[in-house]
Amino acid sequence: MKVRLYTDNEIKILKQSIFVRNIKYKREIEYDPIFKLWTIMLRYDMPELSAREIFARGGFDINILHKKLPQRRIKDWVDNYKKFGIRYFLPEDEYYQSITYIKNNEVVYDSMKMQLLDYVLKRLKEIDFNDNR
C-alpha cells in the first residue's frame, strides 16, 4: 500500500490551522478534540454541508488533503460519538466505554455480548414461563 507523505510546505500550511496539533511522520494529522466535536455538531446541524466544506470552514486547505480524507475522518468521529459519547473525545487522558441506552423501558447495550445476554435471558424466561403452564 502506498503512503502519502506531506511536503514540508504542506505541513507548514496544515499547521497554520488552529485545529491541527501536530503532523506525525509527515503523514498523520493529529486533530484537536474540539475540532472533532465541532465537525460532529455540524454534521447534525447542517447535513447539507459536505465533509470537505466542513474541513474548509475549519480553516483547512482542502486542496492538500486527499479528497476522501475529510469524509472518512468525520464518519469515524460520528461513529465513535454514537458508540462512546463525548467521553471518547474529552477528557483525553481518561478511559471511555460504550454508552448504555434506555429505549422503551428496556436497557439496550452497545456491546454485542450484552445484547446476546439480554436476549438469552429474555428467551429463557419465556421458555420457563411456557413450561410452567
Side-chain angles (χ1 to χ4, degrees):
M1 181 168 94
K2 288 192 171 199
V3 176
R4 158 71 151 95
L5 296 179
Y6 295 110
T7 66
D8 291 335
N9 189 42
E10 290 171 331
I11 291 172
K12 182 180 173 186
I13 293 169
L14 288 170
K15 282 187 172 183
Q16 288 176 353
S17 171
I18 62 169
F19 296 123
V20 173
R21 286 189 168 173
N22 196 12
I23 310 287
K24 296 179 183 177
Y25 318 112
K26 291 191 167 190
R27 65 178 178 188
E28 294 178 19
I29 302 172
E30 185 179 342
Y31 303 94
D32 193 295
I34 294 170
F35 176 70
K36 296 175 185 181
L37 293 168
W38 179 75
T39 60
I40 293 166
M41 180 197 70
L42 281 184
R43 177 56 71 212
Y44 285 112
D45 287 349
M46 303 176 84
E48 69 276 4
L49 289 179
S50 72
R52 289 177 62 81
E53 290 172 329
I54 292 173
F55 265 61
R57 285 185 179 205
F60 284 87
D61 183 348
I62 56 172
N63 297 318
I64 294 173
L65 306 174
H66 185 279
K67 68 178 187 172
K68 291 284 189 177
L69 182 107
Q71 179 183 9
R72 290 179 186 149
R73 293 297 171 264
I74 293 175
K75 183 192 179 320
D76 286 344
W77 298 335
V78 168
D79 290 347
N80 286 327
Y81 180 76
K82 286 178 183 176
K83 184 168 184 167
F84 303 113
I86 199 165
R87 288 190 62 114
Y88 181 83
F89 303 96
L90 295 173
E92 292 177 80
D93 57 346
E94 290 185 15
Y95 67 92
Y96 62 91
Q97 59 193 27
S98 296
I99 299 175
T100 302
Y101 296 99
I102 298 179
K103 187 175 180 180
N104 301 332
N105 293 332
E106 186 176 319
V107 176
V108 179
Y109 300 97
D110 253 5
S111 160
M112 194 275 297
K113 286 172 88 175
M114 293 305 292
Q115 288 178 358
L116 179 61
L117 176 65
D118 283 347
Y119 174 77
V120 168
L121 292 174
K122 184 177 175 182
R123 185 69 185 113
L124 286 173
K125 282 182 185 178
E126 291 172 0
I127 292 169
D128 189 42
F129 178 74
N130 289 335
D131 286 347
N132 289 331
R133 283 184 152 188

